[in-house]
Amino acid sequence: MKNYTPLVALIILLSASCSKPAEIITAHSYEELKGTVIGTYQGAVVETILSAHAEECGYKVEYHTEPASIIQGLKNGSIDLMTVRFPEFKAYMHSIPGLYQVWDSLLVDNQLVLFSQKNNELKDQFNEWLKLPETQQLMQDSKEYWFRPYGAPDPAPRDYDAPAEGDPIRAASSFTVVGTTYISNGKPAGVDMDVLYGFAKYVGRPVELLNMPTLSILAAAQTGQIDMGISGISRRPDGSINENMLISDPYNRASHALVGYSEELAVQQMKEAGLYKEKNFFTNMYDAFRRTFVEENRWQMIAGGLWLTVRISLYALIFGTLLGALICAMRMSRRRFISGAAKVYIEIMRVVPILVFLMIMYYAVFSTMGVSGEIVSVIALAMSMAAFVGDVFCMAIQGIDRGQREAGYALGFSKKQTFFNIILPQAARSAQDVYNGQVIAMIKATSIIGYIAVMDLTKAMDIIRSRTFDAFFPFIAAAVIYYLIAVVFVRLIGWLLDVALPKKGSAVAPELIINQAKKTVAPVSPDHSARNSEVVLSVNGLRKVFEDGVAVLENITTDIHRGDVVSIIGPSGTGKSTFLRCLNKLETSTEGTVTMQGIAEDEMRNHMGMVFQSFNLFEHLTVLENVCIGPMKLLHKSRAEAEMRGMELLSAVGLANKATYMPSQLSGGQKQRVAIARCLSMDPEVILFDEPTSALDPTMINEVLTVIRELAARGMTMLIVTHEMKFARNVSNRVFFMNHGVIYEEGTPQQIFSEPQREETKRFIQGISKFDYSIVKGYDFIDLSNSLEQFLLPRMMTQSVVSHTMAAVEELLLLFQNGNGCVARIESGASLTVQYIELSQSTEIILSYSDKLPQILSDSDREDDLSITLLRGYTSVLEESAGKLYAKIK
């Protein structure tokens, strides 16, 4: 049923347009109008008269901007009566059978022409022309020609022969009142058009005709946007007129009538004229389509409005996007007055309705510049769109992880290169959906530009509605067309984005990927004896103080030799990562120097790779593209050459078969190995590893450490911040123990791990292999478990050893707390120690308690020995002596 909802809604709407109103109404006084709803024009003279009596006489007045909506209300019964000038009533009867006159002398008024104040001479010329006998004859002939009874032939539009040269008269009309000013067969028609072109011929000037709603004509005359406005305009009863406008003498005089509608009368009149046909839903649909598109070649008007809408939308899209990019750049500026100006602009454009802004631009900002409504529409829509687009761009760019930038810098990209190659492509994809929404909103906003004399699609449909008096089909057709415009624009944007940011296929033959995937690299053992004394990296007096005054690094001086593998260990927060970031210029040091032999300072990044703990792969690129982007963009290698080398590196890290995968499809260990391959693709002399295994589980840790071991064995110079002590001992030839921002102690792995010379180093080495926890009354078991897990996970143990250790501790504590003398045990407490045995990658557990308490394992009063059974399954040794229980995990 859900799929048929739009069709059902369409049927209801179309059926509503043919609904039967109330019976025929008679009235000749305001009192007799009691209980009726009267539709009239907003701001018209007759509206003032009717409103003055409405409350007293018990009827309601509804205000509309044009006759078509009032007539539609008559036909569907929502309005009982409408006001209309009597000559126009004859024109409506010609097009709409069933109209009948209720009150023929409601009001008599004069029709005037508005002039801007700067056109006083033109006004005087018009008044002179009105006095001519031939003008009076023109008016008489015009009324007889345009106002015809129902069934008479349609009056054909006239070909006006206004002069083609000279200063044009900028005239505006609403084109919504049949017989007075409307569009017929795509041409201006009606009494007002006869008057306008007759006067233009008299003064010998061409006409530049603008299509505006009546209220917009008043504003345009006030601001000087037009020379004259002619659209059946009357002076208000109080005789008031804006001081910025001039009015002509009356050129026409007509009485206002109240008119009703009867469907029975409509059928009778159509039968008398031989035009009656039985109708159903489908014939109504056909007639609505014919009246909207076919009659008078109205499709041409729709096509013209559509092309203008598309043109304005396209220009507003281009300029709005460019201006939005500028607003984004301003908002992200570090200069407060620039970012502040962008924020103010965005806030203003968010709050001010687009229609109000459009009016301000047309009637105030550009009122004296002679700028066309089309250009003003483009400017207003682009400025409005730019505010939202700038905000969208800003959020998308700021949403890209900082690590993406740092990875780009670490490869050797400049800030500009990093932005355009790494940040912008990801931000563009991230912002695409929201940006498309703003584009659609901008396209919908073009529907208001008819207020400033622009003949867009909505305005064209409005004019057609004023001729067909069908409120539904033209707007339904417009909705479908707007939908198609939006779809085309969104598809176009997606296509352009795909062209600008293509998902490139590999230039490497598929069989090469398969062959590389089959390759294996034989493990190689590190050979520290092969290292030489050539200094490749020199650090002298390095110091780093952050803006808050905290000194992270203090006077670090050291030399790194070619082939060195330096492991940097130490407590968290002692500056290990900051030290690496200063070496690679990701952080600017406060004092000191970092130099590489024979390499200029601004070129050092190209010779010093970095691998991050959070991987920082470029999410918009495939694995192979991640590895190839540096060589292609910075080393200027051909794509084929870069990909061949990339496949070799991916094979070396065991991931050739993942070359076409996206980073999101990889595990953590695989991502880190790709990051290493990407780093190696730039052929660095030194690689910096910033805790490369901290975000990985034990299985993945081994994957990454195996690759690093192989690099060490091949003589790669590396500095590695790590918490993997066994790895540091086995792979490194030098170890830096950092504490309080300095290299507190330096030496070989044997010296640092087995024979540390300084107290802080001893304490750290001891702390990384032992876990202590006091078991006291009311202790937090969850906190104990979390702390123990954090101690165990960084060690190079299998997952089974970790889980067995956690389970054994839990069972031991259950035995301790629930055994013989449990109250005394809880009161006296115990001490838990878990020792990490590096050589065997195992653990030892010691639970110490008062030797006066009964032993746990030999407790004969225990009814359930399941915990003891489980413990024996977890352990290779389980012993107990007075006050101490010892367990060794398998």
Side-chain angles (χ1 to χ4, degrees), residues 450-676:
Y451 281 92
I452 60 169
V454 178
M455 187 69 164
D456 69 308
L457 177 62
T458 301
K459 187 66 175 178
M461 288 297 188
D462 208 30
I463 290 174
I464 291 172
R465 189 170 67 99
S466 72
R467 294 285 284 119
T468 64
F469 305 104
D470 183 349
F472 295 101
F473 194 87
F475 285 151
I476 291 171
V480 171
I481 295 172
Y482 272 111
Y483 170 79
L484 295 176
I485 294 173
V487 168
V488 170
F489 269 66
V490 169
R491 296 289 188 272
L492 177 62
I493 291 167
W495 176 78
L496 290 174
L497 201 58
D498 289 338
V499 170
L501 307 171
K503 287 285 188 292
K504 299 176 182 176
S506 175
V508 178
E511 58 269 18
L512 178 60
I513 295 180
I514 296 172
N515 292 335
Q516 290 286 357
K518 292 179 179 178
K519 288 184 180 180
T520 57
V521 179
V524 183
S525 300
D527 182 8
H528 298 312
S529 64
R531 289 163 173 76
N532 57 49
S533 59
E534 178 189 355
V535 175
V536 68
L537 183 66
S538 182
V539 183
N540 186 24
L542 189 66
R543 186 168 183 265
K544 174 64 180 178
V545 180
F546 286 123
E547 293 180 357
D548 57 4
V550 176
V552 183
L553 301 177
E554 290 284 0
N555 194 30
I556 294 181
T557 300
T558 189
D559 290 331
I560 307 299
H561 301 86
R562 190 171 302 280
D564 270 349
V565 178
V566 181
S567 290
I568 304 172
I569 64 173
S572 298
T574 55
K576 302 185 297 298
S577 294
T578 303
F579 176 49
L580 292 193
R581 293 169 64 82
C582 286
L583 295 183
N584 204 30
K585 307 298 183 183
L586 292 177
E587 294 282 357
T588 303
S589 58
T590 306
E591 296 177 13
T593 60
V594 178
T595 58
M596 292 186 74
Q597 185 179 16
I599 298 173
E601 184 176 357
D602 58 352
E603 295 290 329
M604 283 175 52
R605 272 187 182 163
N606 293 340
H607 300 269
M608 187 188 303
M610 188 162 186
V611 178
F612 301 86
Q613 58 181 308
S614 53
F615 325 127
N616 292 344
L617 295 184
F618 305 137
E619 297 295 331
H620 65 297
L621 301 178
T622 65
V623 166
L624 184 57
E625 288 170 340
N626 263 275
V627 177
C628 295
I629 186 172
M632 291 171 61
K633 299 291 185 179
L634 298 173
L635 303 182
H636 308 294
K637 292 184 178 181
S638 68
R639 186 175 169 207
E641 183 183 4
E643 289 190 346
M644 287 290 289
R645 172 61 173 158
M647 289 305 303
E648 292 176 4
L649 293 172
L650 289 175
S651 179
V653 298
L655 290 174
N657 60 332
K658 306 291 185 182
T660 58
Y661 282 42
M662 299 301 291
S664 59
Q665 297 175 281
L666 304 180
S667 67
Q670 290 171 336
K671 289 180 181 179
Q672 196 62 290
R673 284 187 280 160
V674 172
I676 294 172

Side-chain angles (χ1 to χ4, degrees), residues 121-135:
E121 182 181 352
L122 191 66
K123 182 205 74 171
D124 292 340
Q125 288 177 320
F126 183 81
N127 289 338
E128 292 173 1
W129 176 71
L130 287 178
K131 297 174 183 177
L132 299 176
E134 53 266 33
T135 303

